[in-house]
Amino acid sequence: MVPNDYPAFLKWLPGNENVVIYKKNEKKACDIIRQSDLIFSLDYSALNRTDLMENELRISKAKKILIDHHLEPMISDFDYYLSTIEISSTSELVFRFIDHCGWIDLVDQEIATALFTGIMTDTGSFSYSCNYPETFTITASLIRTGINPEQIHRLVYDTYSEDRLRLLGYCLSEKMTILTGLSTAYIALSKEELDRFHHQVGDTEGIVIYALSIENIKLAVFLTERKDRIRLSFRSKGNLSVNQIAREHFNGGGHKNAAGGDSFDSLSDTILKLRQILEQYKEDIDRWSV
Ligand code: 5GP
């Protein structure tokens, strides 16, 4: 079960047909939550991250088990927790959990495909958050079940719609602002611009990473205008904690190098606020090594 719809590039995953989207099928979702004795909360650190589902989860009598790798989990929301940031992904933690329970023989190709996809996407295809050898040992075990990593990579990354690729091109050529003195690049998209490219869930995923790939850029921010808020997506290199910026200034959080948050000002005011906040961090940004 998930609170909201998720990108089409994940809908080929085995078991996709069993996923219940709370926002689209509230009655069925509530029935399932009410009938559950045990709820696993995967890849989020607090119940307030579950949007409309939050209340139903809070009143549920089920035992709740958190399995997650974000900073500063809200452990009081859960009965048990398996949470560490020293790990590539929640998928890797799920594998370790299964292993610890002695159920490793149950990991078939369908489960291995899902776990491999989680590790691959959370590490940017094994380019970050993957400095621990165990990540590769676990990945090797998953591949030994007979899954096809090349095909999985293609299904996730080579299935752009034409609109999505053109939106990426537009962002990079027309919309990227570089703040040289702050080693920062940001891209801001209005709702009108998103509509022009027939924006679908997941279409803007990963664009922020292109901005971060510029030499000497330490911080990248992607801003999108939503119905009731401005969504901010932060990425950083090295020591720079974007979690702190998102948490302190934009009601958000996440990881040290990848975080998100919201602003309830207009898009232009949010950009102004962001630039003012970054000025306050200038000395730190200069000091931060990459
Ligand atoms: P993204 O920029 O891809 O939306 O999110 C980057 C990371 O930050 C993800 O791990 C995501 O779970 C986390 N994140 C995004 N938005 C928020 C937020 O509003 N609050 C918290 N606590 N974490 C967030």
Side-chain angles (χ1 to χ4, degrees):
M1 187 180 305
V2 290
N4 304 306
D5 203 0
Y6 48 99
F9 61 76
L10 295 175
K11 294 199 170 165
W12 59 271
L13 276 162
N16 180 65
E17 64 283 3
N18 299 323
V19 177
V20 176
I21 301 170
Y22 187 94
K23 202 171 172 184
K24 285 190 174 170
N25 204 342
E26 193 172 326
K27 183 174 175 328
K28 186 169 180 191
C30 287
D31 284 348
I32 294 171
I33 294 173
R34 284 171 199 169
Q35 286 160 19
S36 300
D37 298 320
L38 199 57
I39 294 176
F40 284 90
S41 292
L42 303 178
D43 208 29
Y44 59 90
S45 54
L47 289 183
N48 66 12
R49 296 280 292 134
T50 61
D51 210 353
L52 296 172
M53 247 164 83
E54 177 181 356
N55 189 46
E56 200 60 41
L57 287 173
R58 282 203 190 281
I59 59 176
S60 158
K61 297 265 183 300
K63 293 277 182 218
K64 298 182 200 80
I65 303 180
L66 173 72
I67 302 185
D68 181 50
H69 69 138
H70 288 91
L71 288 158
E72 300 174 55
M74 185 66 78
I75 53 176
S76 56
D77 281 353
F78 306 95
D79 297 286
Y80 304 96
Y81 62 94
L82 174 57
S83 172
T84 170
I85 58 166
E86 309 277 306
I87 201 121
S88 69
S89 54
T90 295
S91 291
E92 186 178 331
L93 272 179
V94 169
F95 181 95
R96 287 168 184 245
F97 179 81
I98 293 171
D99 192 16
H100 190 76
C101 293
W103 299 330
I104 208 71
D105 291 344
L106 297 179
V107 177
D108 57 14
Q109 287 190 9
E110 293 201 341
I111 295 172
T113 296
L115 295 181
F116 179 90
T117 304
I119 297 175
M120 180 187 79
T121 49
D122 253 8
T123 58
S125 301
F126 304 93
S127 62
Y128 48 78
S129 305
C130 58
N131 283 337
Y132 297 100
E134 288 75 16
T135 303
F136 293 90
T137 311
I138 288 170
T139 303
S141 314
L142 296 173
I143 294 173
R144 272 194 211 99
T145 64
I147 60 170
N148 186 337
E150 286 183 14
Q151 188 193 32
I152 292 172
H153 196 276
R154 272 199 305 279
L155 287 168
V156 172
Y157 293 111
D158 298 342
T159 48
Y160 275 51
S161 65
E162 180 182 337
D163 274 330
R164 185 178 174 197
L165 201 62
R166 290 195 188 281
L167 176 63
L168 169 63
Y170 174 69
C171 286
L172 300 183
S173 70
E174 310 284 326
K175 298 296 297 182
M176 189 164 62
T177 303
I178 308 282
L179 306 173
T180 313
L182 292 166
S183 306
T184 296
Y186 72 84
I187 296 167
L189 286 181
S190 67
K191 190 161 176 331
E192 185 274 319
E193 288 167 313
L194 290 167
D195 289 346
R196 200 185 322 153
F197 289 90
H198 311 108
H199 174 257
Q200 303 288 317
V201 178
D203 277 0
T204 53
E205 198 122 329
I207 294 179
V208 65
I209 286 291
Y210 287 93
L212 192 68
S213 67
I214 302 170
E215 193 179 14
N216 298 326
I217 291 296
K218 300 178 184 176
L219 172 64
V221 192
F222 187 69
L223 303 95
T224 44
E225 185 180 26
R226 304 285 169 87
K227 211 164 44 191
D228 58 344
R229 68 190 63 200
I230 307 298
R231 185 80 200 140
L232 294 99
S233 188
F234 297 89
R235 295 293 183 274
S236 66
K237 291 175 187 155
N239 298 335
L240 168 47
S241 169
V242 282
N243 172 63
Q244 192 190 337
I245 299 175
R247 192 175 280 265
E248 284 180 9
H249 304 282
F250 295 101
N251 317 298
H255 306 286
K256 187 173 88 174
N257 296 125
D262 292 310
S263 157
F264 297 94
D265 297 322
S266 68
L267 184 57
S268 52
D269 285 352
T270 305
I271 293 171
L272 270 179
K273 178 177 163 188
L274 174 71
R275 292 178 71 140
Q276 281 161 2
I277 289 165
L278 293 181
E279 288 294 344
Q280 295 165 24
Y281 283 84
K282 182 172 167 29
E283 275 184 28
D284 291 333
I285 295 175
D286 288 343
R287 245 198 342 262
W288 278 319
S289 58
V290 294

